[in-house]
Short mmCIF file of all heavy atoms in Angstrom, two decimals:
data_model
loop_
_atom_site.label_atom_id
_atom_site.label_comp_id
_atom_site.label_asym_id
_atom_site.label_seq_id
_atom_site.Cartn_x
_atom_site.Cartn_y
_atom_site.Cartn_z
N TYR A 1 66.59 85.38 59.80
CA TYR A 1 66.59 86.20 58.61
C TYR A 1 67.61 85.64 57.66
O TYR A 1 68.79 85.59 57.98
CB TYR A 1 66.89 87.64 59.00
CG TYR A 1 66.73 88.61 57.88
CD1 TYR A 1 65.48 89.08 57.52
CD2 TYR A 1 67.83 89.06 57.18
CE1 TYR A 1 65.33 89.97 56.50
CE2 TYR A 1 67.69 89.96 56.16
CZ TYR A 1 66.44 90.42 55.83
OH TYR A 1 66.30 91.31 54.81
N ALA A 2 67.19 85.23 56.50
CA ALA A 2 68.09 84.54 55.56
C ALA A 2 68.26 85.34 54.28
O ALA A 2 68.26 84.80 53.20
CB ALA A 2 67.55 83.16 55.27
N ALA A 3 68.42 86.65 54.38
CA ALA A 3 68.53 87.48 53.19
C ALA A 3 69.77 87.18 52.38
O ALA A 3 69.83 87.48 51.20
CB ALA A 3 68.50 88.95 53.57
N ASP A 4 70.78 86.60 53.02
CA ASP A 4 72.03 86.32 52.34
C ASP A 4 72.13 84.87 51.90
O ASP A 4 73.21 84.33 51.78
CB ASP A 4 73.21 86.67 53.24
CG ASP A 4 73.29 88.15 53.52
OD1 ASP A 4 72.92 88.93 52.63
OD2 ASP A 4 73.71 88.52 54.62
N ARG A 5 71.02 84.22 51.68
CA ARG A 5 71.02 82.80 51.29
C ARG A 5 70.62 82.67 49.83
O ARG A 5 69.67 83.30 49.38
CB ARG A 5 70.05 82.02 52.16
CG ARG A 5 70.14 80.52 51.93
CD ARG A 5 69.18 79.75 52.76
NE ARG A 5 69.50 79.90 54.17
CZ ARG A 5 68.73 79.44 55.14
NH1 ARG A 5 67.60 78.82 54.87
NH2 ARG A 5 69.08 79.59 56.39
N GLN A 6 71.37 81.84 49.10
CA GLN A 6 71.07 81.58 47.70
C GLN A 6 71.04 80.08 47.47
O GLN A 6 71.75 79.33 48.12
CB GLN A 6 72.13 82.18 46.76
CG GLN A 6 72.33 83.67 46.88
CD GLN A 6 73.30 84.06 47.96
OE1 GLN A 6 74.22 83.34 48.25
NE2 GLN A 6 73.07 85.21 48.57
N VAL A 7 70.22 79.68 46.50
CA VAL A 7 70.21 78.29 46.05
C VAL A 7 70.50 78.32 44.56
O VAL A 7 69.79 78.97 43.80
CB VAL A 7 68.84 77.61 46.30
CG1 VAL A 7 68.88 76.17 45.82
CG2 VAL A 7 68.47 77.67 47.77
N GLU A 8 71.55 77.63 44.17
CA GLU A 8 71.92 77.56 42.75
C GLU A 8 71.59 76.17 42.24
O GLU A 8 71.98 75.17 42.84
CB GLU A 8 73.42 77.83 42.59
CG GLU A 8 73.86 77.72 41.15
CD GLU A 8 75.35 77.90 40.98
OE1 GLU A 8 76.04 78.31 41.93
OE2 GLU A 8 75.85 77.60 39.88
N PHE A 9 70.88 76.14 41.12
CA PHE A 9 70.49 74.88 40.51
C PHE A 9 71.31 74.65 39.25
O PHE A 9 71.59 75.58 38.51
CB PHE A 9 69.01 74.91 40.11
CG PHE A 9 68.08 75.16 41.27
CD1 PHE A 9 67.62 76.43 41.54
CD2 PHE A 9 67.70 74.12 42.09
CE1 PHE A 9 66.77 76.68 42.59
CE2 PHE A 9 66.86 74.35 43.16
CZ PHE A 9 66.39 75.63 43.42
N GLY A 10 71.68 73.41 38.99
CA GLY A 10 72.41 73.07 37.79
C GLY A 10 72.08 71.65 37.36
O GLY A 10 71.35 70.93 38.04
N GLY A 11 72.60 71.27 36.24
CA GLY A 11 72.36 69.93 35.74
C GLY A 11 71.35 69.93 34.62
O GLY A 11 70.82 70.96 34.22
N ALA A 12 71.09 68.75 34.11
CA ALA A 12 70.24 68.60 32.93
C ALA A 12 68.79 69.00 33.20
O ALA A 12 68.19 69.71 32.41
CB ALA A 12 70.31 67.17 32.42
N ASP A 13 68.21 68.57 34.33
CA ASP A 13 66.80 68.87 34.61
C ASP A 13 66.57 68.94 36.11
O ASP A 13 66.17 67.96 36.73
CB ASP A 13 65.90 67.80 33.98
CG ASP A 13 64.42 68.13 34.15
OD1 ASP A 13 64.10 69.31 34.41
OD2 ASP A 13 63.61 67.21 34.03
N PRO A 14 66.78 70.12 36.72
CA PRO A 14 66.62 70.24 38.17
C PRO A 14 65.19 70.55 38.62
O PRO A 14 64.98 71.10 39.70
CB PRO A 14 67.57 71.39 38.51
CG PRO A 14 67.50 72.26 37.30
CD PRO A 14 67.37 71.30 36.13
N ALA A 15 64.20 70.21 37.83
CA ALA A 15 62.81 70.57 38.13
C ALA A 15 62.36 70.06 39.50
O ALA A 15 61.69 70.79 40.25
CB ALA A 15 61.87 70.03 37.05
N GLU A 16 62.71 68.84 39.89
CA GLU A 16 62.30 68.29 41.18
C GLU A 16 62.97 69.05 42.33
O GLU A 16 62.37 69.26 43.38
CB GLU A 16 62.62 66.80 41.27
CG GLU A 16 61.78 65.95 40.34
CD GLU A 16 60.28 66.09 40.61
OE1 GLU A 16 59.89 66.05 41.79
OE2 GLU A 16 59.52 66.25 39.64
N LEU A 17 64.21 69.47 42.13
CA LEU A 17 64.90 70.25 43.16
C LEU A 17 64.26 71.63 43.31
O LEU A 17 64.09 72.13 44.42
CB LEU A 17 66.38 70.37 42.81
CG LEU A 17 67.17 69.07 42.81
CD1 LEU A 17 68.56 69.28 42.25
CD2 LEU A 17 67.23 68.48 44.20
N ILE A 18 63.90 72.23 42.20
CA ILE A 18 63.25 73.54 42.24
C ILE A 18 61.91 73.44 42.96
O ILE A 18 61.57 74.28 43.79
CB ILE A 18 63.10 74.10 40.82
CG1 ILE A 18 64.48 74.42 40.24
CG2 ILE A 18 62.21 75.35 40.81
CD1 ILE A 18 64.49 74.76 38.76
N LYS A 19 61.16 72.37 42.69
CA LYS A 19 59.89 72.17 43.38
C LYS A 19 60.08 72.02 44.89
O LYS A 19 59.27 72.50 45.68
CB LYS A 19 59.19 70.91 42.84
CG LYS A 19 58.58 71.09 41.48
CD LYS A 19 57.92 69.78 41.05
CE LYS A 19 57.51 69.81 39.61
NZ LYS A 19 56.95 68.51 39.17
N ALA A 20 61.16 71.37 45.30
CA ALA A 20 61.42 71.17 46.73
C ALA A 20 61.64 72.51 47.44
O ALA A 20 61.19 72.70 48.57
CB ALA A 20 62.64 70.27 46.93
N VAL A 21 62.30 73.44 46.78
CA VAL A 21 62.52 74.76 47.37
C VAL A 21 61.24 75.58 47.33
O VAL A 21 60.89 76.26 48.30
CB VAL A 21 63.67 75.49 46.65
CG1 VAL A 21 63.80 76.92 47.14
CG2 VAL A 21 64.98 74.75 46.86
N HIS A 22 60.50 75.53 46.25
CA HIS A 22 59.27 76.30 46.12
C HIS A 22 58.15 75.76 47.02
O HIS A 22 57.18 76.47 47.28
CB HIS A 22 58.80 76.32 44.67
CG HIS A 22 59.62 77.22 43.82
ND1 HIS A 22 59.38 77.42 42.49
CD2 HIS A 22 60.70 78.01 44.10
CE1 HIS A 22 60.25 78.26 41.99
NE2 HIS A 22 61.06 78.63 42.95
N ALA A 23 58.28 74.54 47.51
CA ALA A 23 57.25 73.95 48.38
C ALA A 23 57.25 74.61 49.76
O ALA A 23 56.28 74.50 50.49
CB ALA A 23 57.48 72.46 48.52
N LYS A 24 58.33 75.29 50.10
CA LYS A 24 58.43 75.96 51.39
C LYS A 24 58.33 77.47 51.18
O LYS A 24 58.68 77.98 50.12
CB LYS A 24 59.77 75.64 52.06
CG LYS A 24 59.94 74.17 52.34
CD LYS A 24 61.14 73.94 53.20
CE LYS A 24 61.26 72.50 53.57
NZ LYS A 24 60.27 72.06 54.53
N PHE A 25 57.86 78.17 52.20
CA PHE A 25 57.79 79.63 52.15
C PHE A 25 59.19 80.17 52.46
O PHE A 25 59.65 80.12 53.60
CB PHE A 25 56.77 80.14 53.17
CG PHE A 25 56.65 81.63 53.16
CD1 PHE A 25 56.14 82.28 52.06
CD2 PHE A 25 57.04 82.37 54.26
CE1 PHE A 25 56.01 83.67 52.04
CE2 PHE A 25 56.92 83.75 54.25
CZ PHE A 25 56.41 84.40 53.15
N THR A 26 59.88 80.62 51.43
CA THR A 26 61.25 81.12 51.58
C THR A 26 61.36 82.49 50.91
O THR A 26 61.98 82.62 49.85
CB THR A 26 62.26 80.14 50.95
OG1 THR A 26 61.88 79.90 49.59
CG2 THR A 26 62.32 78.83 51.70
N PRO A 27 60.79 83.53 51.52
CA PRO A 27 60.76 84.83 50.86
C PRO A 27 62.12 85.50 50.72
O PRO A 27 62.29 86.36 49.88
CB PRO A 27 59.84 85.66 51.75
CG PRO A 27 59.99 85.04 53.10
CD PRO A 27 60.18 83.57 52.83
N PHE A 28 63.09 85.12 51.53
CA PHE A 28 64.38 85.79 51.49
C PHE A 28 65.47 84.95 50.84
O PHE A 28 66.64 85.25 50.97
CB PHE A 28 64.82 86.18 52.90
CG PHE A 28 63.84 87.11 53.56
CD1 PHE A 28 63.06 86.67 54.61
CD2 PHE A 28 63.69 88.40 53.10
CE1 PHE A 28 62.15 87.52 55.21
CE2 PHE A 28 62.78 89.26 53.70
CZ PHE A 28 62.01 88.82 54.76
N VAL A 29 65.09 83.88 50.16
CA VAL A 29 66.06 83.02 49.50
C VAL A 29 66.06 83.35 48.01
O VAL A 29 65.03 83.34 47.36
CB VAL A 29 65.73 81.53 49.72
CG1 VAL A 29 66.67 80.64 48.92
CG2 VAL A 29 65.80 81.19 51.19
N VAL A 30 67.25 83.62 47.49
CA VAL A 30 67.41 83.91 46.07
C VAL A 30 67.67 82.60 45.35
O VAL A 30 68.52 81.81 45.75
CB VAL A 30 68.60 84.87 45.84
CG1 VAL A 30 68.82 85.10 44.37
CG2 VAL A 30 68.37 86.17 46.58
N LYS A 31 66.91 82.36 44.27
CA LYS A 31 67.08 81.13 43.49
C LYS A 31 67.79 81.48 42.18
O LYS A 31 67.38 82.38 41.47
CB LYS A 31 65.74 80.47 43.17
CG LYS A 31 65.05 79.89 44.38
CD LYS A 31 64.05 80.84 44.90
CE LYS A 31 63.26 80.24 46.05
NZ LYS A 31 62.41 81.24 46.69
N LEU A 32 68.86 80.76 41.87
CA LEU A 32 69.65 81.00 40.66
C LEU A 32 69.69 79.75 39.81
O LEU A 32 69.75 78.63 40.33
CB LEU A 32 71.09 81.38 41.04
CG LEU A 32 71.26 82.53 42.02
CD1 LEU A 32 72.69 82.59 42.50
CD2 LEU A 32 70.87 83.83 41.35
N ARG A 33 69.71 79.93 38.52
CA ARG A 33 69.82 78.79 37.60
C ARG A 33 71.18 78.87 36.94
O ARG A 33 71.50 79.83 36.25
CB ARG A 33 68.70 78.87 36.55
CG ARG A 33 68.69 77.75 35.57
CD ARG A 33 68.19 76.46 36.25
NE ARG A 33 67.79 75.49 35.26
CZ ARG A 33 68.58 74.51 34.85
NH1 ARG A 33 69.78 74.38 35.33
NH2 ARG A 33 68.14 73.66 33.96
N GLY A 34 72.02 77.86 37.19
CA GLY A 34 73.35 77.81 36.60
C GLY A 34 73.29 77.30 35.17
O GLY A 34 72.22 77.09 34.60
N LYS A 35 74.45 77.09 34.61
CA LYS A 35 74.53 76.59 33.24
C LYS A 35 74.01 75.16 33.16
O LYS A 35 74.20 74.37 34.08
CB LYS A 35 75.98 76.60 32.75
CG LYS A 35 76.53 77.98 32.54
CD LYS A 35 77.93 77.89 31.99
CE LYS A 35 78.47 79.27 31.71
NZ LYS A 35 79.83 79.21 31.16
N ASP A 36 73.35 74.85 32.06
CA ASP A 36 72.91 73.47 31.83
C ASP A 36 74.12 72.60 31.51
O ASP A 36 75.03 73.00 30.80
CB ASP A 36 71.93 73.40 30.65
CG ASP A 36 70.57 73.99 31.01
OD1 ASP A 36 70.24 74.01 32.20
OD2 ASP A 36 69.87 74.43 30.09
N THR A 37 74.10 71.43 32.08
CA THR A 37 75.14 70.44 31.79
C THR A 37 74.46 69.12 31.47
O THR A 37 73.26 68.98 31.64
CB THR A 37 76.08 70.25 33.00
OG1 THR A 37 75.31 69.74 34.09
CG2 THR A 37 76.76 71.55 33.40
N ASP A 38 75.23 68.18 31.05
CA ASP A 38 74.68 66.86 30.74
C ASP A 38 74.58 65.98 31.98
O ASP A 38 73.99 64.91 31.95
CB ASP A 38 75.55 66.16 29.69
CG ASP A 38 75.47 66.86 28.35
OD1 ASP A 38 74.45 67.51 28.09
OD2 ASP A 38 76.43 66.77 27.58
N GLY A 39 75.13 66.44 33.10
CA GLY A 39 75.12 65.64 34.32
C GLY A 39 73.77 65.66 35.02
O GLY A 39 72.81 66.29 34.58
N SER A 40 73.71 64.96 36.12
CA SER A 40 72.47 64.89 36.88
C SER A 40 72.20 66.24 37.56
O SER A 40 73.10 67.04 37.76
CB SER A 40 72.55 63.78 37.93
OG SER A 40 73.60 64.04 38.83
N ALA A 41 70.96 66.46 37.92
CA ALA A 41 70.55 67.72 38.53
C ALA A 41 71.15 67.84 39.93
O ALA A 41 71.15 66.87 40.70
CB ALA A 41 69.04 67.79 38.60
N VAL A 42 71.66 69.00 40.25
CA VAL A 42 72.22 69.28 41.58
C VAL A 42 71.80 70.68 42.02
O VAL A 42 71.44 71.52 41.20
CB VAL A 42 73.77 69.18 41.60
CG1 VAL A 42 74.23 67.77 41.33
CG2 VAL A 42 74.39 70.16 40.64
N ALA A 43 71.86 70.89 43.31
CA ALA A 43 71.61 72.21 43.87
C ALA A 43 72.61 72.45 44.99
O ALA A 43 73.05 71.52 45.67
CB ALA A 43 70.19 72.32 44.41
N ARG A 44 72.96 73.72 45.15
CA ARG A 44 73.92 74.09 46.18
C ARG A 44 73.34 75.27 46.94
O ARG A 44 72.90 76.25 46.35
CB ARG A 44 75.25 74.47 45.52
CG ARG A 44 76.33 74.84 46.43
CD ARG A 44 77.68 75.11 45.73
NE ARG A 44 77.58 75.55 44.34
CZ ARG A 44 77.93 74.80 43.29
NH1 ARG A 44 78.40 73.59 43.45
NH2 ARG A 44 77.82 75.26 42.08
N VAL A 45 73.31 75.19 48.27
CA VAL A 45 72.81 76.27 49.12
C VAL A 45 74.01 77.04 49.65
O VAL A 45 74.93 76.45 50.22
CB VAL A 45 71.97 75.71 50.29
CG1 VAL A 45 71.51 76.84 51.20
CG2 VAL A 45 70.78 74.93 49.76
N CYS A 46 73.99 78.35 49.46
CA CYS A 46 75.08 79.21 49.92
C CYS A 46 74.50 80.27 50.86
O CYS A 46 73.40 80.79 50.63
CB CYS A 46 75.76 79.91 48.75
SG CYS A 46 76.42 78.78 47.52
N GLU A 47 75.25 80.57 51.91
CA GLU A 47 74.83 81.58 52.86
C GLU A 47 76.06 82.32 53.36
O GLU A 47 77.03 81.70 53.79
CB GLU A 47 74.09 80.92 54.02
CG GLU A 47 73.45 81.90 54.95
CD GLU A 47 72.52 81.23 55.95
OE1 GLU A 47 72.44 79.99 55.98
OE2 GLU A 47 71.88 81.96 56.70
N HIS A 48 76.02 83.65 53.27
CA HIS A 48 77.14 84.50 53.68
C HIS A 48 78.43 84.08 52.98
O HIS A 48 79.48 83.95 53.62
CB HIS A 48 77.30 84.48 55.20
CG HIS A 48 76.09 84.93 55.94
ND1 HIS A 48 75.64 86.23 55.93
CD2 HIS A 48 75.20 84.24 56.70
CE1 HIS A 48 74.55 86.33 56.65
NE2 HIS A 48 74.25 85.13 57.12
N PHE A 49 78.36 83.81 51.69
CA PHE A 49 79.50 83.48 50.83
C PHE A 49 80.13 82.12 51.14
O PHE A 49 81.25 81.86 50.76
CB PHE A 49 80.56 84.58 50.88
CG PHE A 49 80.02 85.92 50.51
CD1 PHE A 49 79.78 86.88 51.48
CD2 PHE A 49 79.72 86.22 49.19
CE1 PHE A 49 79.27 88.12 51.14
CE2 PHE A 49 79.21 87.45 48.84
CZ PHE A 49 78.98 88.41 49.81
N VAL A 50 79.41 81.25 51.85
CA VAL A 50 79.88 79.89 52.13
C VAL A 50 78.83 78.92 51.60
O VAL A 50 77.66 79.01 51.96
CB VAL A 50 80.08 79.67 53.65
CG1 VAL A 50 80.50 78.23 53.92
CG2 VAL A 50 81.10 80.64 54.20
N CYS A 51 79.27 77.99 50.75
CA CYS A 51 78.34 77.05 50.13
C CYS A 51 78.45 75.67 50.77
O CYS A 51 79.54 75.21 51.10
CB CYS A 51 78.63 76.92 48.63
SG CYS A 51 78.35 78.46 47.74
N GLN A 52 77.29 75.04 50.92
CA GLN A 52 77.26 73.66 51.39
C GLN A 52 77.55 72.74 50.20
O GLN A 52 77.55 73.18 49.05
CB GLN A 52 75.88 73.35 51.98
CG GLN A 52 75.56 74.21 53.18
CD GLN A 52 74.21 73.89 53.77
OE1 GLN A 52 73.73 72.77 53.68
NE2 GLN A 52 73.61 74.88 54.40
N LEU A 53 77.78 71.49 50.49
CA LEU A 53 78.04 70.54 49.41
C LEU A 53 76.81 70.41 48.52
O LEU A 53 75.68 70.48 49.00
CB LEU A 53 78.40 69.17 49.99
CG LEU A 53 79.72 69.10 50.74
CD1 LEU A 53 79.88 67.73 51.39
CD2 LEU A 53 80.88 69.37 49.80
N PRO A 54 77.02 70.20 47.22
CA PRO A 54 75.88 70.03 46.31
C PRO A 54 75.07 68.79 46.68
O PRO A 54 75.63 67.78 47.13
CB PRO A 54 76.53 69.85 44.94
CG PRO A 54 77.93 70.29 45.08
CD PRO A 54 78.29 70.15 46.51
N VAL A 55 73.76 68.88 46.49
CA VAL A 55 72.87 67.74 46.74
C VAL A 55 72.04 67.47 45.50
O VAL A 55 71.79 68.37 44.69
CB VAL A 55 71.94 67.98 47.95
CG1 VAL A 55 72.74 68.08 49.23
CG2 VAL A 55 71.10 69.21 47.76
N SER A 56 71.63 66.24 45.35
CA SER A 56 70.77 65.88 44.21
C SER A 56 69.43 65.31 44.68
O SER A 56 68.59 64.98 43.86
CB SER A 56 71.48 64.87 43.32
OG SER A 56 71.84 63.72 44.04
N ASP A 57 69.24 65.21 45.98
CA ASP A 57 68.01 64.66 46.56
C ASP A 57 67.10 65.81 47.01
O ASP A 57 67.55 66.66 47.81
CB ASP A 57 68.36 63.77 47.75
CG ASP A 57 67.13 63.24 48.44
OD1 ASP A 57 66.26 62.69 47.76
OD2 ASP A 57 67.07 63.39 49.68
N PRO A 58 65.86 65.89 46.53
CA PRO A 58 64.96 66.98 46.92
C PRO A 58 64.75 67.09 48.44
O PRO A 58 64.68 68.19 48.98
CB PRO A 58 63.66 66.65 46.20
CG PRO A 58 64.06 65.86 45.01
CD PRO A 58 65.25 65.05 45.50
N ALA A 59 64.66 65.98 49.14
CA ALA A 59 64.45 66.03 50.60
C ALA A 59 65.66 66.63 51.30
O ALA A 59 65.53 67.41 52.25
CB ALA A 59 64.15 64.63 51.13
N SER A 60 66.86 66.28 50.86
CA SER A 60 68.07 66.85 51.45
C SER A 60 68.15 68.34 51.18
O SER A 60 68.54 69.11 52.06
CB SER A 60 69.31 66.17 50.87
OG SER A 60 69.32 64.80 51.19
N LEU A 61 67.76 68.76 50.00
CA LEU A 61 67.76 70.17 49.67
C LEU A 61 66.75 70.93 50.53
O LEU A 61 67.06 72.00 51.07
CB LEU A 61 67.45 70.39 48.19
CG LEU A 61 67.35 71.84 47.73
CD1 LEU A 61 68.65 72.60 47.99
CD2 LEU A 61 66.98 71.91 46.27
N ALA A 62 65.57 70.37 50.71
CA ALA A 62 64.55 71.01 51.53
C ALA A 62 65.06 71.20 52.97
O ALA A 62 64.81 72.23 53.59
CB ALA A 62 63.27 70.19 51.52
N ALA A 63 65.79 70.23 53.49
CA ALA A 63 66.34 70.34 54.84
C ALA A 63 67.39 71.44 54.92
O ALA A 63 67.48 72.14 55.92
CB ALA A 63 66.93 68.99 55.26
N GLN A 64 68.19 71.60 53.88
CA GLN A 64 69.22 72.66 53.87
C GLN A 64 68.61 74.04 53.79
O GLN A 64 69.16 74.99 54.33
CB GLN A 64 70.18 72.46 52.71
CG GLN A 64 71.14 71.33 52.87
CD GLN A 64 72.16 71.27 51.75
OE1 GLN A 64 72.20 72.13 50.87
NE2 GLN A 64 73.00 70.25 51.77
N VAL A 65 67.48 74.17 53.15
CA VAL A 65 66.85 75.47 52.94
C VAL A 65 66.13 75.94 54.22
O VAL A 65 65.96 77.13 54.44
CB VAL A 65 65.89 75.45 51.74
CG1 VAL A 65 65.08 76.72 51.64
CG2 VAL A 65 66.68 75.23 50.46
N GLU A 66 65.71 75.02 55.06
CA GLU A 66 64.98 75.39 56.29
C GLU A 66 65.74 76.35 57.14
O GLU A 66 66.89 76.37 57.29
CB GLU A 66 64.62 74.16 57.10
CG GLU A 66 63.54 73.35 56.47
CD GLU A 66 63.12 72.17 57.34
OE1 GLU A 66 63.80 71.84 58.31
OE2 GLU A 66 62.09 71.57 57.01
#
């Protein structure tokens, strides 16, 4: 049960990262969009108030969300 899991997206264009999360059935994962920046797209997975390191690779993000 992952009700306390969030994925925060940031960067200039995180569309590929968002697709990686939406490709899996994750009904209890909250998706958040952070402020736009000029940097590369990143995502951070947080669970129970602890965040993993930011990732920019869709496959790495998909593995963290599982």
Side-chain angles (χ1 to χ4, degrees):
Y1 188 80
D4 294 328
R5 188 181 295 173
Q6 302 85 32
V7 180
E8 178 183 350
F9 301 97
D13 185 19
E16 292 301 315
L17 295 171
I18 293 170
K19 286 180 190 176
V21 173
H22 285 181
K24 299 190 176 288
F25 180 66
T26 54
F28 300 109
V29 175
V30 177
K31 291 97 175 171
L32 307 168
R33 181 73 163 97
K35 291 183 178 180
D36 288 335
T37 62
D38 293 334
S40 61
V42 295
R44 182 176 26 251
V45 177
C46 303
E47 189 170 5
H48 302 291
F49 304 105
V50 177
C51 296
Q52 298 181 28
L53 293 174
V55 295
S56 58
D57 176 51
S60 298
L61 177 59
Q64 287 186 4
V65 172
E66 288 183 349

